[in-house]
Amino acid sequence: MTTAPEAHRPAGRPRKAVLSRERILEAAFELADTKGGDFTLAALARNLEVRPSALHHYFSGKDELIAGMRGQLTRRVGDHGFETRPWHVAIAAWARAYRATFGAHPGIIAALATMPVDDEPESIIDYERIASAMRRDGYPERRIVPAIVAIESFVIGSALDSLAPEDNLRPVNNPELAPHLTSAEERARAHAAELRTTVTMETFEFGLAALIAGLVAAA
Amino acid sequence: MTTAPEAHRPAGRPRKAVLSRERILEAAFELADTKGGDFTLAALARNLEVRPSALHHYFSGKDELIAGMRGQLTRRVGDHGFETRPWHVAIAAWARAYRATFGAHPGIIAALATMPVDDEPESIIDYERIASAMRRDGYPERRIVPAIVAIESFVIGSALDSLAPEDNLRPVNNPELAPHLTSAEERARAHAAELRTTVTMETFEFGLAALIAGLVAAA
């Protein structure tokens, strides 16, 4: 339900003419995707063919830029009907979108996961929507934030896991070390194939359902 | 139960004299902790004051080095009684140790989480121990690998979350945007204080218990 930032840039216009918050964020994602999250604002300015000082009209520093990137990803995750559906139904759809959105930008996942969300209104509004739904559905108030963070931790870890090889726990070179693991991994792959899905996706769905069911039961 | 690599280096001996697999891994952790996981073998050789070619006696490249780092962390996580305790009891202790061990090296978490484990015997043996216990306890074979990966994803995400500010979901600057979140966050902090623990630790324990309970129920 989101529009890629590229859509806002008129085709063929030179880069320098269109320096904007959106254009800077777009270049920051490109840089993080190729070089990882450790890039400097100076490197970002070079890629945009502008002086570093030009970036400071839009972002006071790297922290504010990372916050802006997080805000844009949160918008892409989107709403998933928390106002109208039970929280534990809406949050499964939210978690799927969250994993896909963050998994598309592996270079920046760690930076996004560890930065403070406090000054980033998009994320605060997103969490408020979830907290309101949980409260409405009678979830114990002191458990609301821990439950949200637990699901988020699972999603972030799964986004990283989705970047590992599909058959990552298959002991190809050392099967003699791990006969039970070898057999279990084969059964998991066969089961995913029966369901016409991937092991990665089946693992995510199985874990997500178990975690949400556990959180519902713990309330 | 582990010995820090430093203990193997006689005090006062010059660095060059003690180039070894352990010394290289130690320097790699130092570099990742300060510069992040994107370091090059050339930078690592500089820190060790050796030629890059000297490292190749021990590691054929960055992938093998990262595998070695993962192996060392897996040894530090340790065994947690999978042979004698029910899998769902042992795995809670394993998950706590895993989170603490990986959380101590944030710069390398993403690289460790996404690399293939196939050629890294320490990790394979660790997973085999868990898979054997689950099989012995009657866990459905096709669910063993998805359950292990689900817990691991939660642990990796929690290790990253433990690096974010303690009151990360507290909307300090924008409380008017998020009244329900503000209230829930306050209750979570008060609850953790009553239990004489931190919000981060209470969140991890709550989520871990919910996930394990959900995985047990799903079997």
Side-chain angles (χ1 to χ4, degrees), chain A residues 119 128 141 173 180-181 183, chain B residues 119 128 132 141 173 181 183:
Chain A
D119 283 321
E128 172 69 4
E141 198 171 14
N173 293 330
H180 296 124
L181 181 63
S183 167
Chain B
D119 282 321
E128 172 68 5
S132 300
E141 197 171 17
N173 294 329
L181 181 63
S183 167

Side-chain angles (χ1 to χ4, degrees), chain B residues 57-129:
Chain B
H57 290 292
Y58 299 92
F59 298 99
S60 68
K62 181 84 182 278
D63 283 357
E64 210 173 293
L65 177 71
I66 296 279
M69 295 171 80
R70 188 184 170 114
Q72 194 170 91
L73 291 186
T74 300
R75 276 194 300 281
R76 288 187 205 167
V77 171
D79 190 354
H80 290 277
F82 284 99
E83 282 186 22
T84 53
R85 303 159 83 191
W87 79 269
H88 62 276
V89 174
I91 211 160
W94 177 86
R96 281 180 203 114
Y98 192 153
R99 172 182 168 279
T101 304
F102 278 58
H105 297 286
I108 203 82
I109 289 177
L112 292 170
T114 56
M115 67 157 272
V117 301
D118 176 48
D119 282 321
E120 205 280 282
E122 298 282 349
S123 296
I124 291 295
I125 291 167
D126 190 40
Y127 292 123
E128 172 68 5
R129 198 154 46 206

Side-chain angles (χ1 to χ4, degrees), chain A residues 139-169:
Chain A
Y139 207 78
E141 198 171 14
R142 69 174 192 278
R143 297 301 200 192
I144 289 176
V145 166
I148 295 173
V149 174
I151 292 173
E152 195 163 31
S153 295
F154 174 74
V155 166
I156 294 283
S158 297
L160 287 173
D161 179 64
S162 72
L163 308 170
E166 171 78 2
D167 57 350
N168 200 24
L169 294 199

